[in-house]
Amino acid sequence: MNRKILLAFIISIVMFQFSNAQQNELWNGKKCAVVLTYDDAIDVDLDNAIPALDSVGLKGTFYIIGQSPVVAKRMSDWRAAAQRGHELGNHTLTHPCDATLPGRSWLTPEDDLSRFSVKRAQNEIRITSTLLQAIDGKTERSFAYPCGDRTIGGVDFYKPLEKEFTGARGVTPGLQHSNEVDLNDIRCYMINGEGGDYMTGLVKQALESHTLLVFLFHGVGGGHNINVSLEAHSKLLHFLKAHESEIWIAPMVDMAKYIREKQQSAKK
């Protein structure tokens, strides 16, 4: 066997072993991982989503807009949710998005991220973290970009904040192995009107591929123009609960910490 053929053979063996290791990756001892995230701090989080999660013993991540009136008027409910193991994640103070992008005509000048300074965006995120710590007493949490936007005038406003969060969720869909996850832009599937079969189908794909699956919800049974029905949401939760021996379901704060540790260990 000449050297070129031998080298090609060795490379093929290494690639096969790497692919096989990915296909059999375990997540905290289970076949795949799922994170349930809910955006914007709205009443249905407390009235519909959290009771549904509690009824099956699952924990979610609720990305809080600091200035939401639902935070002010129902602070004790948010505190109780955190005490039961749900994460209160940071979704900025005012939920600014870049109005210069297509489909953003709904934004007001006050909510236009492109008009913010980088320092203002960072300050508002830090203010929200302080508010959330006052509610739940925690110093570790994850972040979610409003509308998935992370730059102002081409500058990544989040980068200096990386060490202040365990990870940041974006809006790009995808299933990923732990070594593929960008903890500064974690992929997710936004649900808007899809049924229970679609969502359980995604979970089955994650089980087969041994990957991370993140769901992004807004309204649950109403309360937002981006919505999932109570029935579809319930079907997903009960499917997850029925397969809990194979699926690790955890808040994003814990999932991101786990992924970071795996990625760091792989570098040693």
Side-chain angles (χ1 to χ4, degrees):
M1 185 181 296
N2 66 42
R3 293 180 65 183
K4 288 185 178 180
I5 295 175
L6 178 60
L7 180 59
F9 177 74
I10 292 171
I11 290 173
S12 67
I13 291 294
V14 171
M15 293 301 295
F16 173 79
Q17 289 177 336
F18 177 74
S19 175
N20 191 56
Q22 281 196 319
Q23 289 299 317
N24 293 294
E25 178 180 6
L26 293 180
W27 292 84
N28 202 24
K30 299 185 180 182
K31 290 183 179 180
C32 74
V34 171
V35 181
L36 303 162
T37 70
Y38 304 78
D39 282 15
D40 295 353
I42 54 181
D43 280 313
V44 295
D45 288 340
L46 296 163
D47 296 334
N48 294 344
I50 289 174
L53 289 163
D54 289 345
S55 72
V56 291
L58 300 180
K59 310 302 178 187
T61 292
F62 292 81
Y63 284 114
I64 305 298
I65 302 171
Q67 73 166 11
S68 167
V70 181
V71 174
K73 73 181 181 181
R74 303 188 67 176
M75 195 170 291
S76 61
D77 293 332
W78 291 112
R79 182 173 290 117
Q83 290 171 345
R84 293 198 300 277
H86 302 291
E87 178 192 2
L88 304 185
N90 190 320
H91 204 30
T92 75
L93 185 65
T94 59
H95 198 285
C97 298
D98 189 341
T100 67
L101 298 176
R104 300 287 177 80
S105 59
W106 52 273
L107 285 163
T108 66
E110 292 77 16
D111 298 326
D112 182 358
L113 182 66
S114 70
R115 296 170 181 250
F116 280 36
S117 67
V118 170
K119 190 66 175 176
R120 176 184 172 185
Q122 293 168 347
N123 285 344
E124 291 196 1
I125 292 168
R126 287 183 168 128
I127 288 168
T128 304
S129 287
T130 299
L131 169 64
L132 295 176
Q133 185 177 354
I135 296 172
D136 63 18
K138 300 181 185 300
T139 57
E140 287 187 318
R141 69 187 79 252
S142 62
F143 178 77
Y145 303 98
C147 302
D149 300 339
R150 59 184 292 182
T151 61
I152 300 172
V155 178
D156 186 341
F157 64 82
Y158 177 77
K159 191 166 183 59
L161 306 176
E162 287 178 11
K163 295 182 180 179
E164 298 178 30
F165 298 97
T166 64
R169 196 212 65 207
V171 296
T172 304
L175 300 171
Q176 293 184 300
H177 297 283
S178 61
N179 66 308
E180 299 169 330
V181 175
D182 178 357
L183 286 169
N184 296 324
D185 194 7
I186 301 167
R187 294 187 180 184
C188 68
Y189 286 86
M190 184 170 71
I191 302 302
N192 186 19
E194 289 85 356
D197 289 342
Y198 168 78
M199 292 187 288
T200 58
L202 288 175
V203 178
K204 290 174 183 176
Q205 289 180 43
L207 278 166
E208 291 172 0
S209 57
H210 292 237
T211 48
L212 169 68
L213 166 61
V214 180
F215 285 101
L216 164 53
F217 299 106
H218 290 80
V220 177
H224 200 287
N225 62 343
I226 302 173
N227 185 60
V228 65
S229 71
L230 290 173
E231 294 77 14
H233 183 254
S234 178
K235 182 170 184 176
L236 170 65
L237 297 190
H238 282 87
F239 182 87
L240 291 171
K241 188 65 178 181
H243 295 82
E244 201 170 15
S245 63
E246 299 178 286
I247 306 168
W248 182 33
I249 306 122
M252 185 65 83
V253 61
D254 298 325
M255 191 65 66
K257 283 172 61 178
Y258 177 84
I259 293 169
R260 188 178 302 279
E261 290 169 2
K262 288 198 73 172
Q263 290 181 347
Q264 290 174 346
S265 295
K267 294 177 182 178
K268 294 178 180 178

